[in-house]
Amino acid sequence: MSAHSGHTGSGAIFAALGANLGIAVLKFIAYLLTRSSSMLAEAIHSVADSGNQLLLLVGGKVAQKEADEEHPFGYGRNRYIYAFIVSIIIFALGGLFALYEGYEKWHDPHGITEWQWVPVAVLVGSILLEGNSFRVAIKESREMKGQQSWLRFLRTSKNPELPVLLLEDAGALFGLVLALFGVSMTLLTDNGLWDAAGTLAIGILLVFIAIFLASEMKSLILGEAASPEDLAKIRAAIENGDQGRVIHIKTVHLGPEEILVAAKIRIHDADTGITVANEIDKTEERIREAVPAARVIYLEPDVYRPEAQDSTSVSH
């Protein structure tokens, strides 16, 4: 999944948390009054989303812990780990529960005979609240997204919070529409199979979102390289000096806004130790100026030998 800022999307997280807590209460009340499986699935979905937002806040907090001897590169990847846990919760508590509830309702369908207006009113109100939360997430994501498509942003962002919130809110909105359709058709036909179908559709939707998120977070936990744009800036910063050549370079994200750079750069045969040291210091300054997220830099001076270069020299 470029780190362009220290943006953790906390505004969007708090907006989503407030919306989901309120929505969860309304949905549980609607379920208790109507016994609609779609309402129960949506209520559990909102509880899971509320827990997810708390996890994202905790992940952002623990990621700020200073580096120590046991973790010399810091704790930045905690944000990826907590986002991965979020994907598991969406899968288990959201998706699988909805599939189970839909399966049960499908084998024992029943209409909604009491308080028939309640689920419709709750779902319409929930759509409005979730729509506002989704709007905040989109607004906070636009600066980081730049000219990328939304799909590419979700696939390439090194910031885990905003992609998680975008998918959560989009899934919640679509899930509410599915629930509204299932409940409305149940009320119109007095056939509980529509309610069950809406619940099953919600479960399938959440499972797909969870799988997508888990795949992206796993890649970030393993360690992704800097974006092609940031890598090009780092290479240009190195080759802007007297040494003028990158022999090979590797990068990896230690966190959303922290990149480790390891590069072997050319030195001239006649250079003294002091000259080499000064040039490395200047190169590090140029790299950090070009890409502020490049906070950990290791530069190894070497003599450039074209005949010795092989596949290990490929930039990553």
Side-chain angles (χ1 to χ4, degrees), residues 44 55 66 96-97 136 156 163 171 255 267 290 309:
I44 297 298
L55 282 171
E66 294 292 330
L96 293 185
F97 179 84
V136 174
T156 62
I267 63 169
Q309 304 310 304

Short mmCIF file of all heavy atoms in Angstrom, two decimals, residues 44 55 66 96-97 136 156 163 171 255 267 290 309:
data_model
loop_
_atom_site.label_atom_id
_atom_site.label_comp_id
_atom_site.label_asym_id
_atom_site.label_seq_id
_atom_site.Cartn_x
_atom_site.Cartn_y
_atom_site.Cartn_z
N ILE A 44 -24.48 -5.36 14.85
CA ILE A 44 -23.18 -5.97 15.14
C ILE A 44 -22.10 -5.33 14.28
O ILE A 44 -20.97 -5.08 14.74
CB ILE A 44 -23.22 -7.50 14.90
CG1 ILE A 44 -24.21 -8.15 15.87
CG2 ILE A 44 -21.84 -8.10 15.06
CD1 ILE A 44 -23.85 -8.00 17.33
N LEU A 55 -9.35 0.79 17.89
CA LEU A 55 -8.08 0.11 17.62
C LEU A 55 -7.16 0.99 16.79
O LEU A 55 -5.95 1.03 17.03
CB LEU A 55 -8.34 -1.21 16.90
CG LEU A 55 -8.80 -2.38 17.76
CD1 LEU A 55 -9.21 -3.56 16.88
CD2 LEU A 55 -7.70 -2.82 18.73
N GLU A 66 9.02 5.81 21.50
CA GLU A 66 10.40 6.01 21.05
C GLU A 66 11.11 4.68 20.84
O GLU A 66 10.83 3.68 21.51
CB GLU A 66 11.17 6.84 22.08
CG GLU A 66 10.68 8.28 22.21
CD GLU A 66 10.95 9.09 20.95
OE1 GLU A 66 11.95 8.80 20.26
OE2 GLU A 66 10.17 10.00 20.66
N LEU A 96 -18.73 -12.87 9.02
CA LEU A 96 -19.15 -14.22 9.35
C LEU A 96 -20.42 -14.23 10.19
O LEU A 96 -21.29 -15.09 10.01
CB LEU A 96 -18.03 -14.96 10.09
CG LEU A 96 -16.77 -15.26 9.28
CD1 LEU A 96 -15.80 -16.11 10.10
CD2 LEU A 96 -17.11 -15.97 7.98
N PHE A 97 -20.55 -13.27 11.10
CA PHE A 97 -21.78 -13.20 11.90
C PHE A 97 -22.99 -12.93 11.02
O PHE A 97 -24.05 -13.54 11.18
CB PHE A 97 -21.68 -12.12 12.98
CG PHE A 97 -22.92 -12.00 13.82
CD1 PHE A 97 -23.10 -12.82 14.91
CD2 PHE A 97 -23.91 -11.08 13.50
CE1 PHE A 97 -24.26 -12.73 15.69
CE2 PHE A 97 -25.06 -10.98 14.26
CZ PHE A 97 -25.24 -11.82 15.36
N VAL A 136 -16.35 12.96 5.54
CA VAL A 136 -15.17 13.41 6.28
C VAL A 136 -13.94 12.59 5.87
O VAL A 136 -12.85 13.13 5.68
CB VAL A 136 -15.41 13.31 7.80
CG1 VAL A 136 -14.12 13.64 8.57
CG2 VAL A 136 -16.52 14.26 8.24
N THR A 156 -1.98 1.60 -2.76
CA THR A 156 -0.59 2.06 -2.63
C THR A 156 -0.33 2.92 -1.40
O THR A 156 0.83 3.19 -1.08
CB THR A 156 -0.17 2.88 -3.87
OG1 THR A 156 -0.99 4.04 -3.97
CG2 THR A 156 -0.33 2.05 -5.14
N PRO A 163 -7.36 4.53 4.36
CA PRO A 163 -7.94 3.47 3.53
C PRO A 163 -8.89 2.56 4.30
O PRO A 163 -9.94 2.16 3.78
CB PRO A 163 -6.71 2.69 3.04
CG PRO A 163 -5.62 3.70 3.03
CD PRO A 163 -5.89 4.57 4.23
N GLY A 171 -18.37 0.38 2.92
CA GLY A 171 -19.05 -0.88 3.20
C GLY A 171 -20.28 -0.69 4.07
O GLY A 171 -21.32 -1.33 3.87
N GLY A 255 7.32 2.65 8.91
CA GLY A 255 6.02 3.14 9.35
C GLY A 255 5.48 4.00 8.23
O GLY A 255 6.15 4.22 7.21
N ILE A 267 32.34 6.31 -5.06
CA ILE A 267 33.35 7.28 -4.64
C ILE A 267 34.49 7.23 -5.66
O ILE A 267 34.63 6.28 -6.43
CB ILE A 267 33.91 6.97 -3.23
CG1 ILE A 267 34.63 5.61 -3.22
CG2 ILE A 267 32.82 7.00 -2.19
CD1 ILE A 267 35.43 5.36 -1.97
N ALA A 290 14.58 16.23 0.19
CA ALA A 290 13.72 15.79 -0.91
C ALA A 290 12.56 14.94 -0.42
O ALA A 290 11.44 15.06 -0.91
CB ALA A 290 14.55 15.02 -1.94
N GLN A 309 28.35 -5.34 -11.77
CA GLN A 309 26.93 -5.15 -11.47
C GLN A 309 26.11 -6.31 -12.03
O GLN A 309 26.35 -6.78 -13.14
CB GLN A 309 26.42 -3.83 -12.06
CG GLN A 309 27.23 -2.63 -11.59
CD GLN A 309 27.38 -2.59 -10.08
OE1 GLN A 309 26.40 -2.62 -9.37
NE2 GLN A 309 28.61 -2.56 -9.61
#
